[in-house]
Coordinates of all heavy atoms in Angstrom, one line a residue:
M24 N 0.8 -1.2 0.0 CA 0.0 0.0 0.0 C 0.9 1.2 0.0 O 1.9 1.3 0.7 CB -0.9 0.0 1.2 CG -1.6 1.3 1.4 SD -3.3 1.3 1.9 CE -4.2 0.0 1.2
A25 N 0.5 2.2 -0.8 CA 1.2 3.5 -0.8 C 1.2 4.2 0.5 O 0.2 4.1 1.3 CB 0.6 4.4 -1.9
H26 N 2.2 5.0 0.8 CA 2.2 5.8 2.0 C 3.1 7.0 1.9 O 4.0 7.1 1.0 CB 2.6 5.0 3.2 CG 3.9 4.2 3.2 ND1 5.1 4.8 3.3 CD2 4.1 2.9 3.0 CE1 6.0 3.9 3.1 NE2 5.5 2.7 3.0
L27 N 2.8 7.9 2.8 CA 3.6 9.1 2.9 C 4.4 9.1 4.2 O 3.9 8.4 5.2 CB 2.7 10.4 3.0 CG 1.8 10.6 1.8 CD1 0.9 11.8 2.0 CD2 2.5 10.7 0.5
L28 N 5.5 9.7 4.3 CA 6.3 9.8 5.5 C 6.2 11.3 6.0 O 6.5 12.2 5.3 CB 7.7 9.5 5.2 CG 8.7 9.5 6.4 CD1 8.4 8.4 7.4 CD2 10.1 9.3 5.9
L29 N 5.7 11.5 7.3 CA 5.7 12.8 7.8 C 7.1 13.2 8.2 O 7.7 12.5 9.1 CB 4.7 12.8 9.1 CG 4.6 14.1 9.8 CD1 4.1 15.2 8.9 CD2 3.6 14.0 11.0
A30 N 7.6 14.1 7.5 CA 9.1 14.4 7.7 C 9.5 14.8 9.1 O 10.6 14.4 9.5 CB 9.5 15.5 6.7
Q31 N 8.7 15.5 9.8 CA 9.0 15.9 11.1 C 9.0 14.8 12.2 O 9.7 15.0 13.2 CB 8.1 17.1 11.6 CG 8.3 18.4 10.8 CD 7.9 18.3 9.4 OE1 7.0 17.5 9.0 NE2 8.4 19.2 8.5
T32 N 8.3 13.8 12.0 CA 8.2 12.7 13.0 C 8.5 11.3 12.5 O 8.6 10.4 13.3 CB 6.7 12.7 13.6 OG1 5.9 12.3 12.5 CG2 6.3 14.0 14.2
N33 N 8.7 11.1 11.2 CA 9.0 9.8 10.6 C 7.8 8.9 10.7 O 7.9 7.7 10.5 CB 10.2 9.2 11.2 CG 11.5 9.8 10.6 OD1 11.5 10.4 9.6 ND2 12.5 9.8 11.4
D34 N 6.6 9.4 11.0 CA 5.3 8.6 11.0 C 4.9 8.3 9.6 O 5.0 9.2 8.7 CB 4.2 9.4 11.7 CG 4.4 9.5 13.2 OD1 5.1 8.6 13.8 OD2 3.9 10.4 13.8
H35 N 4.4 7.1 9.4 CA 3.9 6.7 8.0 C 2.4 6.9 8.0 O 1.7 6.5 8.9 CB 4.3 5.2 7.8 CG 5.7 5.0 7.5 ND1 6.3 5.1 6.2 CD2 6.7 4.8 8.3 CE1 7.6 4.9 6.3 NE2 7.9 4.7 7.6
I36 N 1.9 7.4 6.9 CA 0.5 7.6 6.7 C 0.1 6.7 5.5 O 0.5 7.0 4.3 CB 0.2 9.1 6.4 CG1 0.5 9.9 7.6 CG2 -1.3 9.2 6.0 CD1 0.6 11.4 7.3
L37 N -0.6 5.6 5.8 CA -1.0 4.7 4.7 C -2.2 5.4 3.9 O -3.1 6.0 4.5 CB -1.5 3.4 5.3 CG -0.5 2.6 6.0 CD1 -1.1 1.3 6.6 CD2 0.7 2.2 5.1
L38 N -2.1 5.3 2.6 CA -3.1 6.0 1.8 C -4.2 5.1 1.4 O -4.0 3.9 0.9 CB -2.4 6.5 0.5 CG -1.3 7.6 0.7 CD1 -0.7 8.0 -0.6 CD2 -2.0 8.9 1.3
N39 N -5.4 5.6 1.5 CA -6.6 4.9 0.9 C -6.6 5.2 -0.6 O -5.9 6.1 -1.0 CB -7.9 5.4 1.6 CG -7.9 5.2 3.1 OD1 -7.5 4.1 3.5 ND2 -8.4 6.2 3.8
S40 N -7.4 4.5 -1.3 CA -7.4 4.7 -2.8 C -8.0 6.1 -3.1 O -7.8 6.7 -4.2 CB -8.2 3.6 -3.5 OG -9.5 3.6 -3.0
Y41 N -8.8 6.7 -2.2 CA -9.2 8.1 -2.3 C -9.0 8.6 -0.9 O -9.8 8.4 0.1 CB -10.7 8.1 -2.6 CG -11.3 9.5 -2.9 CD1 -11.2 10.0 -4.2 CD2 -11.8 10.2 -1.9 CE1 -11.6 11.3 -4.4 CE2 -12.3 11.5 -2.1 CZ -12.2 12.0 -3.4 OH -12.7 13.3 -3.6
H42 N -7.9 9.4 -0.7 CA -7.5 9.8 0.6 C -7.6 11.3 0.7 O -7.0 12.1 0.0 CB -6.0 9.4 0.8 CG -5.6 9.4 2.2 ND1 -5.6 8.3 3.0 CD2 -5.2 10.4 3.0 CE1 -5.2 8.6 4.2 NE2 -4.9 9.9 4.3
R43 N -8.4 11.8 1.7 CA -8.7 13.2 1.9 C -7.9 13.8 3.0 O -7.7 13.2 4.1 CB -10.2 13.4 2.2 CG -11.1 12.9 1.0 CD -12.5 12.6 1.5 NE -12.4 11.6 2.6 CZ -13.4 11.2 3.3 NH1 -14.6 11.7 3.1 NH2 -13.3 10.3 4.3
F44 N -7.4 15.0 2.8 CA -6.7 15.8 3.8 C -7.4 17.1 4.1 O -7.9 17.7 3.2 CB -5.3 16.2 3.3 CG -4.4 15.0 3.0 CD1 -4.5 14.3 1.8 CD2 -3.5 14.6 4.0 CE1 -3.6 13.2 1.6 CE2 -2.6 13.5 3.7 CZ -2.7 12.8 2.5
G45 N -7.4 17.5 5.3 CA -8.0 18.8 5.7 C -8.3 18.9 7.2 O -7.9 18.0 7.9
R46 N -8.9 19.9 7.6 CA -9.2 20.1 9.1 C -10.6 19.6 9.5 O -10.8 19.6 10.7 CB -8.9 21.5 9.6 CG -9.4 22.6 9.0 CD -9.0 23.9 9.6 NE -9.7 24.9 8.7 CZ -10.9 25.2 8.8 NH1 -11.7 24.8 9.8 NH2 -11.4 26.1 7.9
A47 N -11.4 19.2 8.6 CA -12.8 18.8 8.9 C -12.8 17.4 9.6 O -12.8 16.4 9.0 CB -13.7 18.7 7.7
E48 N -12.8 17.4 11.0 CA -12.8 16.2 11.7 C -13.9 15.3 11.3 O -15.1 15.7 11.2 CB -12.8 16.5 13.2 CG -12.7 15.3 14.1 CD -12.7 15.6 15.6 OE1 -12.8 16.8 15.9 OE2 -12.6 14.7 16.4
G49 N -13.6 14.0 11.1 CA -14.6 13.0 10.7 C -15.0 13.0 9.3 O -15.7 12.2 8.8
E50 N -14.5 14.0 8.5 CA -14.8 14.1 7.1 C -13.5 13.9 6.2 O -13.6 13.9 5.0 CB -15.4 15.5 6.7 CG -16.7 15.7 7.4 CD -17.2 17.1 7.1 OE1 -16.9 17.7 6.1 OE2 -18.0 17.6 7.9
V51 N -12.4 13.7 6.8 CA -11.1 13.5 6.1 C -10.4 12.3 6.7 O -10.7 11.8 7.8 CB -10.2 14.8 6.2 CG1 -10.8 16.0 5.6 CG2 -9.8 15.1 7.7
D52 N -9.5 11.8 5.9 CA -8.7 10.6 6.3 C -7.5 11.0 7.1 O -7.1 10.3 8.0 CB -8.3 9.8 5.1 CG -9.5 9.4 4.3 OD1 -10.3 8.5 4.8 OD2 -9.7 9.9 3.1
T53 N -6.9 12.1 6.8 CA -5.8 12.7 7.6 C -6.1 14.1 7.9 O -6.3 14.9 7.0 CB -4.5 12.6 6.8 OG1 -4.2 11.2 6.5 CG2 -3.3 13.2 7.6
Q54 N -6.3 14.3 9.2 CA -6.7 15.7 9.7 C -5.4 16.5 9.9 O -4.4 16.1 10.4 CB -7.4 15.6 11.0 CG -7.9 16.9 11.4 CD -8.7 16.9 12.7 OE1 -8.5 16.0 13.6 NE2 -9.7 17.8 12.9
L55 N -5.4 17.7 9.3 CA -4.4 18.7 9.4 C -4.9 19.9 10.2 O -6.0 20.4 9.8 CB -3.9 19.1 8.1 CG -3.4 18.0 7.1 CD1 -3.3 18.5 5.7 CD2 -2.2 17.4 7.6
L56 N -4.2 20.4 11.2 CA -4.7 21.5 12.0 C -4.0 22.8 11.6 O -2.8 22.7 11.2 CB -4.5 21.2 13.4 CG -5.2 20.0 14.0 CD1 -4.9 19.7 15.4 CD2 -6.7 20.1 13.7
G57 N -4.7 23.9 11.6 CA -4.1 25.2 11.3 C -5.1 26.1 10.6 O -5.9 25.6 9.8
V58 N -5.0 27.4 10.8 CA -5.9 28.3 10.2 C -5.7 28.4 8.7 O -6.7 28.7 8.0 CB -5.9 29.7 10.8 CG1 -6.3 29.7 12.3 CG2 -4.5 30.3 10.7
E59 N -4.5 28.0 8.2 CA -4.2 28.0 6.8 C -4.7 26.8 6.1 O -4.6 26.7 4.8 CB -2.7 28.2 6.6 CG -1.9 27.0 6.9 CD -1.6 26.8 8.4 OE1 -2.1 27.6 9.3 OE2 -1.0 25.8 8.8
I60 N -5.2 25.8 6.8 CA -5.7 24.6 6.2 C -7.2 24.6 6.0 O -8.0 24.9 6.9 CB -5.3 23.4 7.1 CG1 -3.8 23.3 7.4 CG2 -5.9 22.1 6.6 CD1 -3.0 23.0 6.1
S61 N -7.7 24.3 4.8 CA -9.1 24.3 4.5 C -9.7 23.0 5.1 O -9.1 22.0 5.4 CB -9.3 24.3 3.0 OG -8.8 25.4 2.4
R62 N -11.1 23.1 5.2 CA -11.8 21.9 5.7 C -11.5 20.7 4.9 O -11.3 19.6 5.4 CB -13.3 22.2 5.8 CG -13.7 23.3 6.8 CD -15.1 23.6 6.8 NE -16.0 22.5 6.8 CZ -16.4 21.6 7.8 NH1 -15.8 21.8 8.9 NH2 -17.2 20.7 7.6
H63 N -11.6 20.9 3.6 CA -11.2 19.8 2.6 C -10.1 20.4 1.7 O -10.4 21.0 0.7 CB -12.5 19.5 1.8 CG -13.6 19.0 2.6 ND1 -14.7 19.7 2.8 CD2 -13.8 17.9 3.3 CE1 -15.5 19.1 3.6 NE2 -15.0 18.0 4.0
H64 N -8.9 20.1 2.1 CA -7.7 20.8 1.5 C -7.2 20.2 0.3 O -6.8 20.8 -0.7 CB -6.6 20.9 2.6 CG -5.6 22.0 2.3 ND1 -5.8 23.3 2.7 CD2 -4.5 22.0 1.6 CE1 -4.8 24.0 2.3 NE2 -4.0 23.2 1.6
A65 N -7.1 18.8 0.3 CA -6.5 18.1 -0.9 C -6.9 16.7 -0.8 O -7.4 16.2 0.2 CB -5.0 18.2 -0.8
V66 N -6.7 16.0 -2.0 CA -7.0 14.6 -2.0 C -6.0 13.9 -2.9 O -5.4 14.5 -3.8 CB -8.4 14.3 -2.6 CG1 -8.6 14.9 -4.0 CG2 -8.9 12.9 -2.6
I67 N -5.6 12.7 -2.4 CA -4.7 11.8 -3.2 C -5.5 10.7 -3.7 O -6.2 10.0 -2.9 CB -3.5 11.4 -2.4 CG1 -2.6 12.6 -2.1 CG2 -2.7 10.3 -3.2 CD1 -1.3 12.2 -1.2
V68 N -5.5 10.3 -5.0 CA -6.3 9.3 -5.6 C -5.5 8.3 -6.4 O -4.6 8.7 -7.1 CB -7.4 10.0 -6.5 CG1 -8.2 9.0 -7.2 CG2 -8.2 11.0 -5.8
W69 N -5.9 7.1 -6.3 CA -5.3 6.0 -7.1 C -6.2 6.0 -8.4 O -7.5 5.8 -8.3 CB -5.3 4.7 -6.4 CG -5.0 3.5 -7.4 CD1 -5.8 2.6 -7.8 CD2 -3.7 3.3 -8.0 NE1 -5.1 1.7 -8.7 CE2 -3.8 2.1 -8.8 CE3 -2.5 3.9 -7.9 CZ2 -2.8 1.6 -9.5 CZ3 -1.4 3.4 -8.6 CH2 -1.6 2.3 -9.4
T70 N -5.7 6.2 -9.6 CA -6.5 6.3 -10.8 C -6.6 5.0 -11.5 O -7.3 4.9 -12.5 CB -5.8 7.3 -11.8 OG1 -4.6 6.7 -12.2 CG2 -5.6 8.7 -11.2
G71 N -6.0 4.0 -11.0 CA -6.0 2.7 -11.6 C -4.6 2.4 -12.3 O -4.3 1.3 -12.6
E72 N -3.9 3.5 -12.5 CA -2.5 3.4 -13.1 C -1.5 4.2 -12.3 O -0.3 3.9 -12.3 CB -2.6 4.0 -14.5 CG -3.4 3.2 -15.4 CD -3.4 3.8 -16.8 OE1 -2.7 4.7 -17.1 OE2 -4.2 3.3 -17.7
Q73 N -1.9 5.2 -11.6 CA -0.9 6.1 -10.8 C -1.6 6.8 -9.7 O -2.9 6.8 -9.6 CB -0.3 7.1 -11.8 CG -1.3 8.0 -12.4 CD -0.7 8.7 -13.7 OE1 0.4 8.4 -14.1 NE2 -1.5 9.5 -14.3
W74 N -0.8 7.4 -8.8 CA -1.3 8.2 -7.7 C -1.3 9.6 -8.1 O -0.3 10.1 -8.6 CB -0.5 7.9 -6.4 CG -0.7 6.6 -5.8 CD1 0.0 5.5 -6.0 CD2 -1.7 6.2 -4.9 NE1 -0.4 4.4 -5.3 CE2 -1.5 4.9 -4.6 CE3 -2.8 6.9 -4.3 CZ2 -2.4 4.2 -3.7 CZ3 -3.6 6.2 -3.4 CH2 -3.4 4.9 -3.1
T75 N -2.4 10.4 -7.9 CA -2.4 11.8 -8.2 C -2.8 12.6 -7.0 O -3.5 12.1 -6.1 CB -3.4 12.1 -9.4 OG1 -4.7 11.7 -9.0 CG2 -2.9 11.4 -10.6
L76 N -2.4 13.8 -6.9 CA -2.7 14.8 -5.9 C -3.5 15.9 -6.5 O -3.2 16.4 -7.6 CB -1.4 15.3 -5.3 CG -1.5 16.5 -4.3 CD1 -2.2 16.1 -3.0 CD2 -0.1 17.0 -4.0
R77 N -4.6 16.3 -5.8 CA -5.4 17.4 -6.3 C -5.6 18.4 -5.2 O -6.0 18.0 -4.1 CB -6.8 16.9 -6.8 CG -7.7 18.1 -7.3 CD -8.9 17.5 -7.9 NE -8.6 16.9 -9.2 CZ -9.3 17.2 -10.3 NH1 -10.3 18.1 -10.3 NH2 -8.9 16.7 -11.4
D78 N -5.3 19.7 -5.5 CA -5.5 20.8 -4.5 C -7.0 21.2 -4.6 O -7.5 21.6 -5.6 CB -4.6 21.9 -4.9 CG -4.8 23.2 -4.0 OD1 -5.6 23.1 -3.0 OD2 -4.2 24.2 -4.4
T79 N -7.7 21.1 -3.4 CA -9.1 21.5 -3.4 C -9.3 22.7 -2.4 O -10.4 22.9 -2.0 CB -10.0 20.3 -2.9 OG1 -9.5 19.8 -1.7 CG2 -10.0 19.2 -4.0
S80 N -8.2 23.4 -2.1 CA -8.2 24.4 -1.1 C -8.1 25.8 -1.8 O -8.1 25.9 -3.0 CB -6.9 24.3 -0.2 OG -5.8 24.7 -1.0
K81 N -8.1 26.8 -0.9 CA -7.9 28.2 -1.3 C -6.5 28.7 -1.0 O -6.1 29.6 -1.6 CB -8.9 29.1 -0.6 CG -10.4 28.9 -1.0 CD -11.3 29.8 -0.3 CE -12.7 29.5 -0.7 NZ -13.7 30.2 0.0
N82 N -5.8 28.0 -0.2 CA -4.5 28.4 0.3 C -3.3 27.7 -0.4 O -2.2 28.0 -0.2 CB -4.3 28.2 1.8 CG -5.2 29.1 2.5 OD1 -5.5 30.2 2.1 ND2 -5.7 28.7 3.7
G83 N -3.7 26.7 -1.2 CA -2.6 26.0 -2.0 C -2.0 24.8 -1.5 O -2.1 24.5 -0.3
V84 N -1.5 24.0 -2.4 CA -0.7 22.8 -2.1 C 0.6 22.9 -2.8 O 0.6 23.3 -4.0 CB -1.5 21.5 -2.5 CG1 -0.7 20.2 -2.3 CG2 -2.8 21.4 -1.7
F85 N 1.7 22.5 -2.2 CA 3.0 22.6 -2.8 C 3.6 21.2 -2.9 O 3.6 20.4 -2.0 CB 3.8 23.5 -1.9 CG 3.3 24.9 -1.8 CD1 2.2 25.2 -1.0 CD2 3.8 25.9 -2.6 CE1 1.7 26.5 -0.9 CE2 3.3 27.2 -2.5 CZ 2.2 27.5 -1.7
V86 N 4.3 21.0 -4.0 CA 5.1 19.8 -4.2 C 6.5 20.3 -4.6 O 6.7 21.0 -5.5 CB 4.5 18.9 -5.4 CG1 5.4 17.7 -5.6 CG2 3.1 18.4 -5.0
N87 N 7.4 19.8 -3.8 CA 8.8 20.2 -4.0 C 8.9 21.7 -4.0 O 9.7 22.3 -4.8 CB 9.4 19.6 -5.2 CG 9.3 18.0 -5.2 OD1 9.4 17.4 -4.1 ND2 9.0 17.4 -6.3
Q88 N 8.2 22.4 -3.1 CA 8.2 23.8 -2.9 C 7.6 24.7 -4.0 O 7.7 25.9 -4.0 CB 9.7 24.3 -2.6 CG 10.2 23.7 -1.3 CD 11.6 24.2 -1.0 OE1 12.4 24.6 -1.9 NE2 12.0 24.1 0.2
S89 N 6.9 24.0 -5.0 CA 6.3 24.7 -6.0 C 4.7 24.5 -5.9 O 4.3 23.4 -5.7 CB 6.7 24.3 -7.4 OG 8.1 24.6 -7.6
R90 N 4.0 25.6 -6.0 CA 2.5 25.5 -5.9 C 2.0 24.8 -7.1 O 2.3 25.1 -8.2 CB 1.9 26.8 -5.7 CG 0.4 26.8 -5.4 CD -0.1 28.1 -5.1 NE -1.5 28.0 -4.8 CZ -2.2 29.0 -4.1 NH1 -1.6 30.1 -3.8 NH2 -3.5 28.8 -3.8
I91 N 1.1 23.8 -6.9 CA 0.5 23.1 -8.0 C -0.8 23.8 -8.4 O -1.3 24.6 -7.6 CB 0.2 21.6 -7.7 CG1 -0.9 21.4 -6.6 CG2 1.5 20.8 -7.3 CD1 -1.3 20.0 -6.3
V92 N -1.2 23.6 -9.6 CA -2.4 24.2 -10.2 C -3.6 23.7 -9.5 O -3.8 22.4 -9.4 CB -2.5 24.0 -11.7 CG1 -3.7 24.6 -12.2 CG2 -1.2 24.6 -12.4
S93 N -4.4 24.5 -8.9 CA -5.6 24.1 -8.2 C -6.6 23.4 -9.1 O -6.7 23.7 -10.3 CB -6.3 25.4 -7.6 OG -7.5 25.0 -6.9
K94 N -7.2 22.4 -8.6 CA -8.3 21.6 -9.3 C -7.7 20.8 -10.5 O -8.4 20.3 -11.3 CB -9.4 22.4 -9.8 CG -10.0 23.4 -8.7 CD -10.7 22.7 -7.6 CE -11.4 23.7 -6.7 NZ -10.9 23.8 -5.4
T95 N -6.4 20.6 -10.5 CA -5.7 19.8 -11.6 C -4.9 18.7 -10.9 O -4.3 18.9 -9.9 CB -4.7 20.7 -12.3 OG1 -5.4 21.8 -12.9 CG2 -4.0 20.0 -13.5
D96 N -4.9 17.5 -11.5 CA -4.2 16.4 -11.0 C -2.7 16.5 -11.2 O -2.3 16.8 -12.3 CB -4.8 15.1 -11.6 CG -6.2 14.7 -11.2 OD1 -6.6 15.3 -10.2 OD2 -6.8 14.0 -11.9
W97 N -2.0 16.2 -10.1 CA -0.5 16.2 -10.2 C -0.1 14.8 -10.0 O -0.5 14.2 -8.9 CB 0.0 17.1 -9.1 CG 1.5 17.0 -8.9 CD1 2.2 16.1 -8.2 CD2 2.4 17.9 -9.5 NE1 3.6 16.4 -8.4 CE2 3.7 17.5 -9.2 CE3 2.3 19.1 -10.3 CZ2 4.9 18.2 -9.6 CZ3 3.4 19.7 -10.7 CH2 4.7 19.3 -10.4
V98 N 0.6 14.2 -10.9 CA 1.1 12.8 -10.7 C 2.2 12.8 -9.7 O 3.2 13.5 -9.9 CB 1.5 12.2 -12.1 CG1 2.1 10.8 -11.9 CG2 0.4 12.2 -13.1
L99 N 2.1 11.9 -8.7 CA 3.1 11.8 -7.7 C 4.3 10.9 -8.1 O 4.0 9.9 -8.8 CB 2.5 11.3 -6.4 CG 1.5 12.3 -5.7 CD1 0.8 11.6 -4.5 CD2 2.2 13.6 -5.3
S100 N 5.4 11.2 -7.5 CA 6.6 10.4 -7.7 C 7.3 10.1 -6.4 O 7.1 11.0 -5.5 CB 7.6 11.2 -8.6 OG 7.1 11.4 -9.9
I101 N 8.0 9.0 -6.3 CA 8.8 8.7 -5.1 C 9.7 9.9 -4.8 O 10.4 10.4 -5.7 CB 9.6 7.4 -5.2 CG1 8.7 6.2 -5.4 CG2 10.5 7.2 -4.0 CD1 7.9 5.9 -4.2
G102 N 9.7 10.3 -3.5 CA 10.6 11.4 -3.1 C 9.9 12.8 -3.2 O 10.5 13.8 -2.6
D103 N 8.8 12.9 -3.8 CA 8.1 14.2 -3.8 C 7.8 14.7 -2.4 O 7.5 13.8 -1.5 CB 6.8 14.2 -4.5 CG 6.9 14.2 -6.0 OD1 8.0 14.6 -6.5 OD2 5.9 13.9 -6.7
V104 N 8.0 16.0 -2.1 CA 7.7 16.5 -0.8 C 6.4 17.4 -0.9 O 6.4 18.3 -1.7 CB 8.9 17.4 -0.3 CG1 8.5 18.0 1.1 CG2 10.1 16.5 -0.2
I105 N 5.4 17.0 -0.1 CA 4.1 17.7 -0.2 C 4.0 18.6 1.0 O 4.2 18.1 2.2 CB 3.0 16.7 -0.2 CG1 3.1 15.8 -1.5 CG2 1.6 17.4 -0.3 CD1 2.2 14.6 -1.4
S106 N 3.6 19.8 0.8 CA 3.2 20.8 1.9 C 1.8 21.3 1.6 O 1.5 21.6 0.5 CB 4.2 21.9 2.0 OG 5.5 21.5 2.2
F107 N 1.0 21.4 2.7 CA -0.4 21.8 2.5 C -0.6 23.3 2.6 O -1.8 23.8 2.6 CB -1.3 21.0 3.4 CG -1.3 19.6 2.9 CD1 -0.6 18.6 3.6 CD2 -2.0 19.2 1.8 CE1 -0.6 17.3 3.1 CE2 -2.0 17.9 1.4 CZ -1.3 16.9 2.0
S108 N 0.4 24.1 2.8 CA 0.4 25.6 2.6 C 1.8 26.1 2.9 O 2.6 25.3 3.4 CB -0.6 26.2 3.6 OG 0.0 26.6 4.8
E109 N 2.0 27.3 2.6 CA 3.4 27.9 2.8 C 3.6 28.0 4.3 O 4.8 28.0 4.7 CB 3.5 29.3 2.1 CG 3.5 29.2 0.6 CD 3.7 30.5 0.0 OE1 2.8 31.4 0.2 OE2 4.7 30.7 -0.7
L110 N 2.6 28.1 5.1 CA 2.7 28.4 6.5 C 2.7 27.1 7.4 O 3.1 27.1 8.5 CB 1.6 29.3 7.0 CG 1.6 30.7 6.3 CD1 0.4 31.5 6.8 CD2 2.8 31.5 6.5
H111 N 2.1 26.0 6.9 CA 2.0 24.8 7.7 C 3.3 24.2 8.0 O 4.1 24.0 7.1 CB 1.0 23.8 6.9 CG 0.5 22.8 7.9 ND1 1.1 21.5 8.0 CD2 -0.6 22.8 8.7 CE1 0.4 20.9 8.9 NE2 -0.6 21.6 9.3
P112 N 3.6 23.8 9.2 CA 4.9 23.4 9.6 C 5.3 21.9 9.2 O 6.4 21.6 9.3 CB 4.9 23.5 11.2 CG 3.4 23.3 11.5 CD 2.7 23.9 10.4
H113 N 4.3 21.2 8.7 CA 4.6 19.8 8.4 C 4.7 19.6 6.9 O 4.0 20.2 6.1 CB 3.5 18.9 9.0 CG 3.5 18.9 10.5 ND1 2.8 19.7 11.2 CD2 4.3 18.1 11.3 CE1 3.0 19.5 12.5 NE2 3.9 18.5 12.6
S114 N 5.6 18.7 6.5 CA 5.7 18.2 5.1 C 5.7 16.7 5.1 O 6.0 16.1 6.0 CB 6.9 18.8 4.5 OG 8.1 18.4 5.2
F115 N 5.2 16.2 3.9 CA 5.0 14.8 3.8 C 5.9 14.3 2.6 O 5.8 15.0 1.5 CB 3.6 14.4 3.5 CG 2.7 14.8 4.7 CD1 2.2 16.1 4.8 CD2 2.3 13.9 5.6 CE1 1.4 16.5 5.8 CE2 1.5 14.3 6.7 CZ 1.1 15.6 6.8
I116 N 6.6 13.3 2.7 CA 7.5 12.7 1.7 C 6.8 11.5 1.1 O 6.4 10.6 1.8 CB 8.9 12.4 2.2 CG1 9.5 13.6 2.8 CG2 9.7 11.8 1.1 CD1 10.8 13.3 3.6
V117 N 6.7 11.4 -0.2 CA 6.1 10.3 -0.9 C 7.1 9.2 -0.8 O 8.2 9.3 -1.4 CB 5.7 10.6 -2.4 CG1 5.2 9.3 -3.0 CG2 4.7 11.7 -2.4
S118 N 6.9 8.1 0.0 CA 7.9 7.1 0.2 C 7.5 5.7 -0.4 O 8.3 4.8 -0.5 CB 8.1 6.9 1.7 OG 6.9 6.8 2.4
S119 N 6.2 5.6 -0.8 CA 5.8 4.4 -1.5 C 4.6 4.7 -2.4 O 3.7 5.4 -2.0 CB 5.4 3.3 -0.5 OG 4.8 2.2 -1.2
L120 N 4.6 4.1 -3.6 CA 3.5 4.3 -4.5 C 2.9 3.0 -5.0 O 2.4 2.8 -6.1 CB 4.0 5.1 -5.8 CG 4.3 6.6 -5.5 CD1 4.9 7.2 -6.7 CD2 3.1 7.4 -5.0
T121 N 3.0 2.0 -4.1 CA 2.4 0.7 -4.4 C 0.9 0.8 -4.6 O 0.2 1.5 -3.8 CB 2.7 -0.2 -3.2 OG1 4.1 -0.2 -2.9 CG2 2.2 -1.6 -3.4
P122 N 0.3 0.2 -5.6 CA -1.1 0.2 -5.8 C -1.9 -0.3 -4.6 O -1.4 -1.2 -3.9 CB -1.3 -0.7 -7.0 CG 0.0 -0.7 -7.7 CD 1.0 -0.6 -6.6
P123 N -3.1 0.2 -4.4 CA -3.9 -0.4 -3.3 C -4.3 -1.8 -3.6 O -4.3 -2.3 -4.7 CB -5.2 0.6 -3.3 CG -5.2 1.1 -4.7 CD -3.8 1.2 -5.2
E124 N -4.6 -2.5 -2.5 CA -5.0 -3.9 -2.6 C -6.4 -4.1 -3.0 O -7.2 -3.3 -2.7 CB -4.7 -4.6 -1.3 CG -3.2 -4.6 -1.0 CD -2.9 -5.2 0.3 OE1 -3.8 -5.7 1.1 OE2 -1.7 -5.3 0.7

């Protein structure tokens, strides 16, 4: 199963085939706290061939320190570093892109 590594703690986050990030408790798979984080901030999706990241926020999602285009799928690669805003203190490293079971 694909997963991300939380760079600050080395915790692994296993990805669901449709994995939601944001601050809406009970409505997301990985909750992120902070005023700069939208209720539904981003989603990582298995397309059947690859893992993609989509920004669904107003504050932006960054891959390797570059803001990705909102509402557009970004194909993930091993080693990509994902940040959910310029101000959020945590970053996530793509450490596995194994297809879901």
Side-chain angles (χ1 to χ4, degrees):
M24 171 141 321
H26 54 74
L27 306 177
L28 180 68
L29 179 56
Q31 290 71 21
T32 64
N33 287 332
D34 289 334
H35 288 271
I36 297 165
L37 297 176
L38 295 176
N39 299 318
S40 58
Y41 187 88
H42 197 98
R43 300 160 301 174
F44 295 84
R46 52 180 175 83
E48 184 176 1
E50 297 177 24
V51 295
D52 301 294
T53 299
Q54 187 178 29
L55 305 168
L56 302 177
V58 295
E59 71 282 0
I60 302 297
S61 298
R62 292 177 44 77
H63 301 109
H64 200 90
V66 62
I67 293 178
V68 178
W69 172 251
T70 67
E72 296 181 8
Q73 58 199 2
W74 289 95
T75 61
L76 170 66
R77 179 176 286 232
D78 176 8
T79 57
S80 74
K81 293 181 181 174
N82 294 328
V84 173
F85 298 78
V86 176
N87 303 325
Q88 300 181 335
S89 295
R90 188 172 183 161
I91 66 172
V92 177
S93 182
K94 312 294 188 249
T95 302
D96 291 341
W97 176 275
V98 177
L99 292 172
S100 298
I101 295 289
D103 280 346
V104 178
I105 302 168
S106 301
F107 291 101
S108 93
E109 289 181 300
L110 302 174
H111 198 266
H113 293 93
S114 56
F115 299 82
I116 301 166
V117 177
S118 52
S119 171
L120 292 173
T121 306
E124 297 177 359

